[in-house]
C-alpha cells in the first residue's frame, strides 16, 4: 500500500505537511470508524485506504463492523432505497427487525473511540452507547428527498450525535446538530486508480473476451436498481443502431446489499443474446476494475439516485469521457460540457454517448478537464484534511477552528 510521502508528486509537499500538522494535533485521540461492510460499495472503498493512512500519520484509527443477518440487511436496503426517495412499504416489523439487530450490536460492539465515526443508517443506533466521547454520523446517501417515515425514525438517533456529515449541499436537512459538507474521494495510488501497463489492460480484456476493435462503453456498479443497469442497456441498444460498440456492465456484490442477485437476473434477461454485452460479476478485484475503466472509450454512470458516485471520480481520474446522470454528488464532479456530459434520461444518455463517439477530440478534452477537476477536489488527501479538521472542530464550540 502506498505511503503518505508517495502522494507528494501528485499533490505537492505542502499538502502533505499540512496533513502531518493536523495529525499531530490529534495525537492521543482514538478515532473509531464503524460501518456494516468491509468490501463492496463506496464506504468500504474509502475506509480501506483512509484508515491505514491516518495510522501512518500517527492518528490512532480503528475500524469496526456491525453484524446483521439476512433480514436486517433486507430492511436496511429498504431504508436505503426509501431514503433515496424510492417507494417502499416499510412496516412496523421492519423497524422491529432493525432495532433487534441494533440491540445485539449495542451489546457486542466495543466502543473504544474518543471520536466515534458512524457511517450510514445500518449502525446508527449505536449512538445509544454515547458517553462523554464525540460521535459523528456520516451520511453517504442522497437524502434530499427522503421517505419521511424512515427519516423521522432515524432523526431520533441522528439528534443524539455531535455532528453530521453529508456529501453534497443539497442533501442537508433541518437538524438540531452541526452539519458538515465533506465530499468523498478516491485514492490515486490504490490498485483501483494507479497507472497500469497496457499489457495488464490487455490481459484483462482477453480474459473477458472483450475486443479492442470496437468502442467500449462501461458502467461499473453494484447490481442495484438505483444504478439503472437496465437503462444502460437500453441506451446502449439505441446507440448500437448507429454505431457498432460493446457494453460492459461490471459489478460485484456487497454483503449489505441483498438485492444484487435479483437485479443481475433482470440485467441478464435484458441483455439476452447480444454477444457485445459483457456482464461481469467481479469479485473484489481492483486491478481488473481499473483495467476495464482504462480500456473503455466512454464510462457511463446512469444512476437514478446517487450518494456521490465514486465511479465517476475513478473514471475522470483516468481522463475518460463520462456520461452520467445529473443526480446526487455527480454534478459536483461533472460540469456539463466541460468535464463530462450530464444526462436526465435513457434517450439523453444515448444521445450523449453518440455525440462522444462521433467527436473523439471533444471526448478527449472532457476527459482531460475531468482529471484536473478530480485532482483539485476529490483526492484522498483533501478528504483526510477535512476529516481531521472536522475531528478537531468537535472540541471547539464556535464555527471556526484556529490552527
Ligand atoms: N466497486 C467495486 N466492485 C464492483 C462495483 C463497484 O470495487 O463490483 C467499487 C467502485 O469502483 C467504487 C465503489 O465500489 O469505488 C462504488 O462507489 P459508488 O460511490 O460509485 O457507489 P455505491 O456502491 O457506494 O453506491
Amino acid at each position: 500500500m502506498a505511503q503518505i510521502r508517495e502522494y507528494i508528486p501528485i499533490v505537492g509537499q505542502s499538502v502533505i505537511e499540512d496533513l502531518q500538522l493536523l495529525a499531530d494535533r490529534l495525537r492521543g485521540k482514538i478515532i473509531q470508524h464503524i460501518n456494516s461492510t468491509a468490501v463492496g460499495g463506496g464506504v468500504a472503498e474509502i475506509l480501506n485506504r483512509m484508515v491505514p493512512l491516518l495510522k501512518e500519520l500517527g492518528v490512532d484509527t480503528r475500524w469496526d463492523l456491525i453484524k446483521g443477518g439476512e433480514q436486517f440487511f433486507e430492511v436496511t436496503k429498504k431504508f436505503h432505497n426509501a431514503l433515496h426517495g424510492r417507494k417502499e412499504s416499510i412496516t412496523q416489523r421492519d423497524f422491529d427487525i432493525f432495532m433487534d439487530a441494533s440491540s445485539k450490536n449495542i451489546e457486542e460492539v466495543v466502543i473504544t473511540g474518543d471520536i466515534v465515526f458512524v457511517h450510514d443508517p445500518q449502525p446508527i443506533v449505536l449512538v445509544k452507547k454515547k458517553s462523554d466521547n464525540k460521535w459523528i454520523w456520516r451520511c453517504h446517501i442522497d437524502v434530499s428527498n427522503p421517505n419521511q417515515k424512515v427519516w423521522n425514525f432515524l432523526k431520533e438517533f441522528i439528534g443524539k450525535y455531535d455532528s453530521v456529515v453529508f456529501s453534497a449541499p443539497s442533501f442537508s436537512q433541518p437538524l438540531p446538530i452541526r452539519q458538515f459538507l465533506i465530499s468523498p474521494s478516491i485514492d490515486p495510488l490504490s490498485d483501483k486508480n494507479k497507472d497500469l501497463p497496457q499489457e495488464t489492460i490487455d490481459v484483462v480484456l482477453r480474459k473477458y473476451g472483450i475486443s479492442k476493435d470496437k468502442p467500449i462503453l462501461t458502467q461499473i456498479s453494484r447490481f442495484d436498481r438505483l444504478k439503472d443497469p437496465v437503462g444502460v442497456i437500453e441506451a446502449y441498444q439505441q446507440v448500437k443502431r448507429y454505431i457498432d460498440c460493446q457494453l460492459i456492465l461490471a459489478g460485484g456484490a456487497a454483503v449489505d446489499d441483498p438485492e444484487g442477485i435479483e437485479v443481475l437476473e433482470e440485467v441478464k434477461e435484458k441483455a439476452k443474446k447480444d454477444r457485445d454485452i459483457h456482464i461481469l460479476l467481479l469479485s473484489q478485484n481492483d486491478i481488473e476494475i481499473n483495467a476495464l475503466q482504462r480500456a473503455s472509450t466512454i464510462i457511463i454512470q446512469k444512476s437514478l439516485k446517487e450518494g456521490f458516485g465514486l465511479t465517476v471520480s475513478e473514471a475522470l481520474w483516468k481522463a475518460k469521457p463520462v456520461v452520467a446522470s445529473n443526480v446526487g454528488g455527480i454534478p459536483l464532479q461533472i460540469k456539463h460540457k466541460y468535464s463530462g456530459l450530464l444526462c436526465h434520461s435513457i434517450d439523453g444518455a444515448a444521445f450523449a454517448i453518440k455525440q462522444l463517439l462521433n467527436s473523439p477530440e471533444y471526448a478527449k478534452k472532457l476527459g482531460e478537464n475531468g482529471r484536473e477537476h478530480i485532482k483539485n477536489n476529490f483526492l484522498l488527501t483533501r478528504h483526510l484534511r477535512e476529516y481531521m479538521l472536522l475531528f478537531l472542530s468537535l472540541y471547539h464550540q464556535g464555527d471556526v477552528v484556529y490552527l
Side-chain angles (χ1 to χ4, degrees), residues 41-42 45 192 221-222 227 251-252 284 289 306 309-311 314:
E45 179 76 19
K192 178 79 56 72
S221 274
R222 290 177 295 103
K227 308 285 184 186
Q284 198 64 27
I289 290 174
E306 193 57 78
L310 281 177
T311 48
E314 290 162 7

Side-chain angles (χ1 to χ4, degrees), residues 160-208:
K160 297 188 198 307
Y161 284 77
D162 293 283
S163 294
V164 58
V165 182
F166 294 108
S167 296
S170 56
F171 303 172
S172 165
Q173 289 282 335
L175 288 168
I177 55 172
R178 282 210 291 180
Q179 303 188 32
F180 291 81
L181 164 63
I182 301 179
S183 314
S185 62
I186 57 161
D187 179 358
L189 297 179
S190 65
D191 284 349
K192 178 79 56 72
N193 296 307
K194 68 184 184 188
D195 286 341
L196 289 182
Q198 188 59 44
E199 174 55 23
T200 309
I201 299 170
D202 291 345
V203 168
V204 174
L205 291 183
R206 275 200 298 277
K207 173 173 171 188
Y208 291 112

Side-chain angles (χ1 to χ4, degrees), residues 276-290:
D276 279 330
I277 301 181
H278 304 272
I279 298 166
L280 310 181
L281 192 58
L282 304 178
S283 54
Q284 198 64 27
N285 191 327
D286 288 349
I287 297 277
E288 286 194 356
I289 290 174
N290 187 345

Side-chain angles (χ1 to χ4, degrees), residues 264-281:
L264 181 62
E265 286 312 311
E266 288 168 18
V267 169
K268 282 185 179 158
E269 173 61 26
K270 181 81 190 169
K272 287 249 169 70
K273 293 179 197 81
D274 186 336
R275 294 169 64 91
D276 279 330
I277 301 181
H278 304 272
I279 298 166
L280 310 181
L281 192 58

